[in-house]
Amino acid sequence: MNQSPGCLDKEREAMLRAALPVRSAAFRSLLAGRVASFGEIAAEARLTEASARQAAENVASVGMAELDEIGVVGMDGLTIRQTRHCINLAGIDLCTWCAYDIVGIVAALGSDATGLTRCGMCGRRIRVEIREGDPGGSLVFGWLPDEACSNVIAEFCPSALLFCSSGDLEAWRHRSRGGTGESLNLRALAERGREEWGQLVASPST
């Protein structure tokens, strides 16, 4: 996300803003379906490799990045690691940390993509067709939690799901007794995504 999904405190959000060049560089590499090496990120962000690595580690500490020994394998919801939420974007198969990321990322990019996930209630496969960043009209609804958290992957993403219908979403809320949040249709999720990922995808690393 541009800063965070809204669950992090101000100190953590400030850290994410400061790390935007590193996040943006890594995110662009991941869009090509490859690991973003620390050396590559450093060159694009005009930092030393040690500084780029430290910034990436800071972002990972709040669950907004995934790292391996080479570099970044996940950033701001986009990952080359296999998950239950996937997209085909410009012919490249990628995955995301949560179902909301499918819609939000593609909307911010203004791209065509096909997303696949499963209903958070019934488990039925949900296919989302997005054209020029617009998911179109659909009966599918999403849930965006808004409770405070310290790690986005661990605490926000498990509940940021899509559902076959508003009825399934309400049944899931009753069954899971989840916390507070918002129920949004796909177009509303896309609009939220344009705001949250917009600076990340548009900002040059320089």
Side-chain angles (χ1 to χ4, degrees), residues 66 73-74 78-87 93-97 116:
E66 296 175 289
V73 299
L78 188 69
T79 181
I80 60 173
R81 177 178 59 83
Q82 188 68 36
T83 74
R84 61 181 288 196
H85 317 287
C86 295
I87 52 176
D93 290 323
L94 300 162
C95 290
T96 65
W97 298 336
L116 292 174

Side-chain angles (χ1 to χ4, degrees), residues 58-123:
N58 290 343
V59 176
S61 73
V62 297
M64 289 285 280
E66 296 175 289
L67 313 180
D68 67 9
E69 64 278 2
I70 297 172
V72 178
V73 299
M75 180 65 75
D76 283 75
L78 188 69
T79 181
I80 60 173
R81 177 178 59 83
Q82 188 68 36
T83 74
R84 61 181 288 196
H85 317 287
C86 295
I87 52 176
N88 182 278
L89 183 63
I92 298 173
D93 290 323
L94 300 162
C95 290
T96 65
W97 298 336
C98 65
Y100 168 49
D101 294 333
I102 293 174
V103 181
I105 288 171
V106 180
L109 291 168
S111 301
D112 296 348
T114 299
L116 292 174
T117 186
R118 291 191 178 275
C119 175
M121 179 60 193
C122 72

Side-chain angles (χ1 to χ4, degrees), residues 19-76:
L20 183 61
V22 166
R23 293 164 57 205
S24 185
F27 190 86
R28 281 194 290 274
S29 290
L30 292 169
L31 284 171
R34 55 188 174 82
V35 175
S37 72
F38 293 119
E40 176 185 19
I41 293 169
E44 188 170 341
R46 296 187 177 180
L47 296 169
T48 65
E49 186 169 335
S51 295
R53 183 188 294 266
Q54 183 61 62
E57 289 175 353
N58 290 343
V59 176
S61 73
V62 297
M64 289 285 280
E66 296 175 289
L67 313 180
D68 67 9
E69 64 278 2
I70 297 172
V72 178
V73 299
M75 180 65 75
D76 283 75

Side-chain angles (χ1 to χ4, degrees), residues 99-100 102-103 117-121 126 128 140-143 160-164 184 186 189:
Y100 168 49
I102 293 174
V103 181
T117 186
R118 291 191 178 275
C119 175
M121 179 60 193
I126 295 175
V128 180
V140 173
F141 275 75
W143 178 253
L161 301 169
L162 294 184
F163 298 85
C164 293
L184 299 171
L186 289 189
L189 287 173

